[in-house]
Structure formats: C-alpha cells, structure tokens
Amino acid sequence: MKPTVALVGRPNVGKSTLFNRLSTRKKAIVHDKPGVTRDRKYADARIGPLEFTVIDTPGLEEAATGTIEYGMTEQTISAIQAADAVCLVVDGMVGVTPQDKVFANLIRKNRANHYCGKHDEAAAQSNSNDGVILLVNKCERDLQPDGSYLKLGFGHPIPISAEHGTGMADLCTELLEMLPDYENATDPFKEDKIQIAIVGRPNSGKSTFVNALLKENRVLTGPEAGITRDSISIEWQYKEQPITLVDTAGLRKKGNINDSLEKLSASDTIGSIKYANTVVLMLDATRALEQQDLNIASFIIDEGRSLVIAINKWDLVEKKKEFQKELDYKLEMELSQVSGVPVVYLSALNGENLDKVIDGCLRIYKTWNKKIPTPKLNDWLAMATEHHMLPLQKNGRRLRIKYCTQVKSRPPYFKFFCNKADDIPDSYKRYLMNSIRENFSMQGVPMRLTFLSSDNPYSR
C-alpha cells in the first residue's frame, strides 16, 4: 500500500499548485481566488524514486459550525489524522501569520491523535515533528527562509517553489526519511552509488565525454546540436566506486526555445540536476563563457548540488593562460557564493584528463557530505568572532553570536544563534561563510547559513 501525504495550510499558499507538481495524472484547479478547493482531492504522485498518494485539502479557516468553511476545515482535519505524512505549506512572500500559528497547533493536536491510533508510543517519540514537514512556498528568489518559521514548531523549513519545481529534491529526501517503513523506493542521496549528471549548452561535448569514459559508443554523438533528447542513465564503476552517469540534453536560453520537444528535453535535464549528487557543467573552450553557462551553474548551486566545471576541447585553445585568467575572474565575480569550484581542462575527443573530472567529482562529493562536530564549530566561532568582532548596536551593546551547529549536510547547512539576528550585516555573514570554507576545507560546495535570535526567558 502506498503512503499518503497530505498538503495543508491556509488558503492561497500554493497547495493546489504543489499538488499538480507532484501528481502524475489528476490535476487541481488553480486560481488566485482563495477557497477554490473545497473537498479532499486524491491523486497518484511521484517525487524522485518515491511513489505515494498525495491529498490536496481545503485551506484551513476559522469558521462557525454549520458553515461551508467549517465543513472544509473538517475535511482538512480528516486528512491530517489519516495521512502518513503532512506537509504544512506557508507563504514565503508573506511570512508567518497568526493564522499559520493557530493551525500549526491544530495540526500538532491532530497528529498526536494520529500516532496514538496508528503507531506505538516508541514510534511517536522517534519522530519529534509528528510526521509534519514545513514547506515555505514561493521562494523563487530567497532560498534561505529566516528563523521566524521555526516558531511553528516543525523544525527546519524546506524552501520550495511549487510553480517552478525548486526544492523538490529536498522534499524527496525528507519524505524518504519520514516514511522508513515503505520499501518501494531507494534514496538516491543515501546510496553508496554516486549519481553524476553531465549538463551544459548544446554541442559542448557531453555525450562524447560519456563515450570516452565508457570507451564505447554508448550514446549518439555528432556535429549537430540537440542529438541527445532524453536523459540517459548509465551504470558504471570507477576505482571500485559505483557511479550512475547521466547524459543530458543541452540547455539553451529559455527565450530561444520554441520547439515543444526541446522544452520537454530541457525539463528532463533540470530534473536530472535536481536528483543528482554531483553535476559536471561541461563548457566548450572554443566558445566564450556566456551568461547561459553562469545561469546553469547558479541553478545547480541554488539546488544545493555539488559542482565540477569541465572545460572541453582544451586542445583547440591557443592562448591557454589568457583563457584561464579570464575564466577565473568571471567565476570569482559571478559565482562568489561557492568560491573554489573545481575546474578541469580536458579533451573528450582525445581522451585527455577524463579521470581528473571524475576524481574532482569524488572529492567534491566527499566535501558535500562533510559533517563538522558542534564542539569544533564553536571553537572556530570563538576564534572567528575574536579575530573580526561583530559591530555595535545603536544602544552601544555589541551583537553576539552565542553558538552554532551544523544541522545537515548535502549541502552543508549551519545554524547560528544570536542576540539580534536581524541586525547582523550581510558582509559579516559572508565573512563567516568564507571562514568556514577556509578552516574546514569546504571550498567549492554550496553552503547555507541561518541566523536565529534566541529567546530571552525573562523578556515577559
């Protein structure tokens, strides 16, 4: 039997849009007008390797008994109590509202009843969030929600964009951890096998690179752009390490894509990026580094994947030193958030430096998985704040970061607890990020930092 996942939240936060994103067939009507969904809607859904049943629910509203709105809320409560996992969806453009807090308590109360009815006491205690995932929707621009969402009591929020598909890989990982009893899926992020997606603009040599690694004509190649249309997964082994290579279709600028088939190919490539462990961005050394290359790199970083940049057709470049100098400058300016991304120069056609690309993938994958113990982090924090002191507030008191901890890896995510989190300048946050990279050898991987104001127990 498939697990069930209910999408709940107040009206107009994007539940039906997320329902449509996850559903394999049945679609819900989406409109700006709140209250369009009035009944529970079920559909078969898939995210990554996980198959489940998704439930779209009416928006939670406080209403008097006997009204339509009250009946809608009853529908939602039934879904909360019956589902194996609940996704509480909030609006990232609005922030936490009093209505979100009211219904977070309602969910918590009804999930407690769920565990008493379906699971034993030990199982309930093993899941501190009672099977609830907090999703901050409409995060197209800001992928790092502030600490106010933690006050809802469901742990660290997952930033997503239901409309654009951002954050679906993180949601997949969370669901796989939350639904351990179901054997219908394997977690691509927890397998020993590394999944490496080869992406880039059309005709940059992605398929030629894959064939050269495998030493066979496994995928079609040619001088014409756009030969590869579907993402092709190939099982391979390198130095006794199981690897899945994913050859993908080329990504052009969105405005240049008119053909419906090319749109589907581009969508397939984006999906391969989201479910890869490591991504190789293949660039053509005979063509100048364009904004599209940087856009692809930024998307990979925003998705939290580890990245290796491969400069193909290096044998055709005459002024190599000038090329490297210009590339280093552009990467430093445009991808400063992940300084130290591995760059490998190769010729796929001549078989030069192919191993260096895969070695770079293995190294960056290891860094992407790194977990730093909390005592070491706080020793570093004391050193970093003493070396570069935090600024003074208007009242003359100095800002303070009390302690920090790494809450997850893949990508590394750090949480800092402060007296006034909102007042910490962006320049100081960048200083801390660069200091972590330098002191813990974490160059080249995307990193996320959250700053939270810890409550004063005597403030009331």
Side-chain angles (χ1 to χ4, degrees), residues 366-380:
K366 187 176 181 180
T367 305
W368 188 60
N369 280 276
K370 183 179 286 188
K371 187 72 185 287
I372 304 170
T374 299
K376 285 188 177 182
L377 261 180
N378 284 283
D379 289 344
W380 158 81

Side-chain angles (χ1 to χ4, degrees), residues 58-167:
L60 292 167
E61 294 188 80
E62 294 180 280
T65 305
T67 62
I68 292 177
E69 289 78 10
Y70 181 83
M72 290 162 60
T73 300
E74 289 292 299
Q75 288 277 328
T76 301
I77 290 174
S78 297
I80 292 170
Q81 292 174 340
D84 295 292
V86 173
C87 292
L88 172 59
V89 185
V90 298
D91 191 330
M93 298 180 70
V94 176
V96 177
T97 68
Q99 197 177 11
D100 289 324
K101 295 178 181 179
V102 169
F103 290 113
N105 291 331
L106 182 67
I107 291 168
R108 193 175 292 106
K109 174 184 174 182
N110 285 281
R111 289 305 289 175
N113 294 338
H114 164 88
Y115 272 96
C116 291
K118 290 185 68 174
H119 300 281
D120 58 24
E121 186 177 350
Q125 290 176 353
S126 67
N127 194 331
S128 59
N129 292 338
D130 291 340
V132 181
I133 301 172
L134 177 59
L135 301 179
V136 183
N137 192 25
K138 307 179 185 179
C139 287
E140 289 86 353
R141 296 181 180 179
D142 187 6
L143 290 172
Q144 297 189 24
D146 60 45
S148 62
Y149 296 97
L150 293 172
K151 295 179 181 178
L152 293 175
F154 296 120
H156 174 70
I158 298 176
I160 67 166
S161 170
E163 185 173 354
H164 297 94
T166 305

